[in-house]
Amino acid sequence: MAADTSKPFFPAAPHSALVPSGRKASRLSPESSYWRSFRASELTSPSEFNVTHLAFSPSPSPAPTLAASWATSVLLFSGDPLSPLPRLSVSDDVTFSPSFRSDGALLAVGDKKGVVRVFRPDKKSSGPLRTLRGHSAETRVVRYPVAGGDKVHLFTAGNDALLSYWDVPSETPVFTVPAAHRDYIRAGAASPVDHNIFATGSYDHTVKLWDARTGQTPSLSFSHGELVESVLFLPSGGLLATAGGNMVKIWDVIGGGRLVHSVESHVKTVMALALAKMSSTGETRLLSAGSDGYVKCFDYGELKLTHSMRYPMELLSLACSPCGTVLVAGSSKGVIFMGRRKKKQTEDDEEEGKGVGGEFDWAPPKPEKTRLTPSSHRYFLRGQNAKAKKGDFVIEKPKKVKFAEHDKLLRKFRHKDALVSALAQKNPRSAVAVMEELIARRKLVRCIGNLQTKELEKLLLFLHRNATLPRYARFLMGVANKVLEIRANDIRSDENLRGCIRNLKRMVTEEIQIQHTLQGIQGMISPMLVLASR
């Protein structure tokens, strides 16, 4: 039977649900476009070590410096984009919580045994400058003060629930609180407006505010309600953000610990908090990283979430560079994810930022170039790069004074190394000056006791050559007696040292004979001079 061709095989009118709507696709907001402009990459390869802490140097340099706790060492990255530097070996155990000093010149790191060490990040081979021993368990919180330019203090806390406030140059605690919390202390933050104020968070669900001027008792205490993993002061210093469980809470510490807002944006534990400055608008956002692999961006001025970023691994740490162009996140698999934003927007980024939720089109106005007038400081800095012409009177800058190696070591309080460096120069004036400085610091006896056999041999050779010089004889003979008193056992057990002592003894004997001879000659000449004067 022939088919009926009067009716179409398919219905002419499709179902209404299959017809695409006439609405245009919603455009991204400027903030979403801003965070999408970060180009993601990996700084490290997967490994079995957790990246528990990340920290950027606060120094205002165009090339940021990043420190990451990684196994028994600290990974350092610097430059734009970030590139790896030589690894900083800290201890024989797992490291935690690297913290830069306010000027970025020093880096403090804790470890699993409770020892805190202070390093120069630009000189990895010099070893720790200071070693702070006061904790008996993991030191998970190591923080330098942020405000006020305080460069000598440091506060630490750890799994032994001990809180310590240190005077770093003397390696002694200003005060300690043995039971600051009832459980592990895993979070800490320094106030951005007062170098005496800092906060700690613990697994006993509490957050406490401390004042270094009062010491033993907390100034404020309140409960987060979950195990506290991270605390962070907001830029004003009056608000404090805490993370624990799947919640991030903001507290008014000036108002007595009043809860301002609570955010439950993660489905798993929030592990880290960080502040990020948006280079496009200058505004600051609160970022949170969780073990669900998400980084959430929160506008604490409007109290709303503005963007989410997804990572393929569980995140344990988070940090953003002071300039706001680099965002890094550390994972439980040893991978450090880096998102870098170029300083100049590309044409694609400019096209993406042309909408606000599909309702408003807005772009920040470009600042107008101001005309220089005599009331501006820049007016008087014009022409500084101009080259001098023939006949111009040029005022040259004074040349920078170059310090000797032993002077640099004395500034770093490396007393024994300064003494060895001065002895190696074979300049008696410098060596005696270093010894006199060590006596003023009450460190010469300790340095002599810590000298190794080769270094002690250099000191004895120096005494043999210069102990009879009239200018230094009295001082160096006293040093020689002190060396014999302190290192007698070492001298008896080493043939080279015994030879140096025999030479020194022979030289002293000869000098005594010469002095006796000179005294006899003086006795004969004195009467003749008296008769000649008459």
Side-chain angles (χ1 to χ4, degrees):
M1 184 176 66
D4 186 7
T5 58
S6 61
K7 296 181 180 181
F9 187 77
F10 292 102
H15 194 274
S16 60
L18 302 177
V19 179
S21 62
R23 295 180 299 173
K24 296 181 180 179
S26 60
R27 297 178 180 178
L28 293 173
S29 65
E31 188 149 332
S32 296
S33 300
Y34 175 85
W35 294 112
R36 282 174 174 264
S37 65
F38 282 78
R39 303 292 184 257
S41 61
E42 295 182 4
L43 289 177
T44 56
S45 58
S47 66
E48 60 183 3
F49 305 113
N50 298 336
V51 184
T52 56
H53 296 86
L54 296 168
F56 272 100
S57 173
S59 58
S61 59
T65 301
L66 173 68
S69 59
W70 196 81
T72 61
S73 59
V74 173
L75 302 182
L76 295 175
F77 305 88
S78 183
D80 189 11
L82 292 176
S83 57
L85 299 176
R87 185 181 303 175
L88 181 63
S89 297
V90 178
S91 66
D92 298 330
D93 217 325
V94 181
T95 60
F96 301 103
S97 188
S99 175
F100 284 95
R101 201 171 69 176
S102 58
D103 57 354
L106 295 181
L107 176 67
V109 187
D111 69 0
K112 195 172 183 178
K113 296 180 180 178
V115 182
V116 179
R117 295 174 176 86
V118 181
F119 296 87
R120 286 268 314 258
D122 55 343
K123 294 186 178 180
K124 289 85 179 173
S125 59
S126 61
L129 302 181
R130 292 290 181 274
T131 302
L132 312 179
R133 302 180 185 273
H135 293 272
S136 59
E138 298 177 6
T139 310
R140 290 290 189 125
V141 179
V142 178
R143 295 289 185 274
Y144 269 108
V146 178
D150 187 353
K151 300 179 181 179
V152 298
H153 292 112
L154 178 75
F155 79 90
T156 61
N159 285 359
D160 54 357
L162 174 69
L163 174 66
S164 298
Y165 188 76
W166 297 87
D167 179 63
V168 178
S170 62
E171 301 182 1
T172 56
V174 179
F175 68 87
T176 59
V177 185
H181 288 268
R182 293 176 297 171
D183 206 337
Y184 297 161
I185 302 177
R186 290 297 184 90
S191 172
V193 295
D194 191 345
H195 64 275
N196 294 307
I197 305 297
F198 52 93
T200 56
S202 171
Y203 275 10
D204 63 356
H205 300 185
T206 61
V207 178
K208 295 185 179 182
L209 209 66
W210 304 85
D211 191 336
R213 293 163 292 190
T214 58
Q216 301 293 330
T217 58
S219 303
L220 182 64
S221 177
F222 50 88
S223 176
H224 175 82
E226 293 284 348
L227 306 179
V228 181
E229 298 287 351
S230 180
V231 297
L232 182 66
F233 277 96
L234 299 185
S236 64
L239 298 177
L240 180 70
T242 61
N246 64 339
M247 295 182 295
V248 177
K249 295 183 179 181
I250 298 178
W251 307 83
D252 182 8
V253 294
I254 297 179
R258 180 178 59 89
L259 179 61
V260 177
H261 191 69
S262 179
V263 187
E264 297 184 20
S265 56
H266 292 265
V267 296
K268 291 186 179 181
T269 305
V270 183
M271 302 300 298
L273 297 174
L275 288 175
K277 182 180 180 181
M278 298 179 62
S279 57
S280 59
T281 61
E283 298 178 356
T284 306
R285 295 290 182 262
L286 176 64
L287 304 182
S288 61
S291 55
D292 56 358
Y294 277 94
V295 172
K296 304 286 185 176
C297 178
F298 181 75
D299 183 359
Y300 54 86
E302 299 291 338
L303 300 178
K304 65 178 182 180
L305 285 169
T306 56
H307 191 67
S308 296
M309 291 171 276
R310 179 75 170 93
Y311 290 85
M313 298 180 186
E314 177 184 2
L315 300 182
L316 300 181
S317 54
L318 185 68
C320 187
S321 63
C323 57
T325 58
V326 180
L327 177 65
V328 291
S331 70
S332 60
K333 301 296 183 181
V335 179
I336 301 177
F337 299 97
M338 179 190 71
R340 177 174 171 266
R341 186 176 189 271
K342 295 182 179 180
K343 296 181 180 179
K344 293 183 179 179
Q345 277 190 326
T346 59
E347 294 180 358
D348 296 337
D349 294 336
E350 291 176 354
E351 290 177 1
E352 286 180 357
K354 285 184 179 179
V356 184
E359 297 184 10
F360 301 100
D361 291 336
W362 176 87
K366 295 182 179 180
E368 298 180 359
K369 293 184 178 180
T370 57
R371 182 181 178 183
L372 293 180
T373 59
S375 61
S376 173
H377 176 65
R378 292 173 54 200
Y379 181 85
F380 298 96
L381 301 180
R382 299 169 300 161
Q384 286 190 349
N385 297 327
K387 296 182 179 180
K389 297 180 181 179
K390 187 176 181 180
D392 291 345
F393 182 75
V394 180
I395 301 176
E396 297 182 354
K397 293 183 178 179
K399 294 183 178 180
K400 187 177 181 180
V401 179
K402 293 184 178 180
F403 291 98
E405 183 66 23
H406 56 266
D407 289 329
K408 296 178 181 178
L409 293 171
L410 284 173
R411 287 189 169 198
K412 300 174 184 177
F413 302 99
R414 296 168 58 183
H415 301 112
K416 190 193 82 169
D417 296 340
L419 177 59
V420 174
S421 176
L423 293 175
Q425 293 179 2
K426 298 181 180 180
N427 184 357
R429 182 178 179 182
S430 300
V432 172
V434 171
M435 292 180 186
E436 290 176 346
E437 176 65 21
L438 293 178
I439 290 175
R441 299 186 184 189
R442 300 180 180 179
K443 296 294 183 181
L444 181 60
V445 174
R446 181 180 294 181
C447 290
I448 293 174
N450 293 335
L451 289 176
Q452 299 179 1
T453 303
K454 295 294 183 181
E455 298 168 346
L456 182 59
E457 185 178 352
K458 289 183 180 179
L459 177 59
L460 293 176
L461 291 174
F462 171 80
L463 294 174
H464 173 246
R465 288 193 300 266
N466 304 288
T468 58
L469 295 179
R471 184 174 181 181
Y472 310 119
R474 183 183 298 273
F475 176 78
L476 292 181
M477 291 308 298
V479 175
N481 290 332
K482 187 61 68 174
V483 172
L484 293 174
E485 178 184 346
I486 299 174
R487 304 299 295 271
N489 296 331
D490 297 330
I491 293 173
R492 292 192 190 98
S493 61
D494 190 273
E495 180 63 29
N496 294 332
L497 297 181
R498 290 202 302 271
C500 294
I501 294 299
R502 285 195 296 268
N503 294 335
L504 179 61
K505 182 179 179 181
R506 187 184 305 112
M507 180 268 299
V508 173
T509 304
E510 292 175 357
E511 183 66 20
I512 292 174
Q513 292 176 356
I514 292 172
Q515 293 297 328
H516 285 314
T517 304
L518 291 176
Q519 286 180 356
I521 295 173
Q522 184 180 7
M524 291 185 293
I525 293 177
S526 296
M528 298 174 63
L529 293 176
V530 173
L531 293 175
S533 64
R534 292 179 181 177

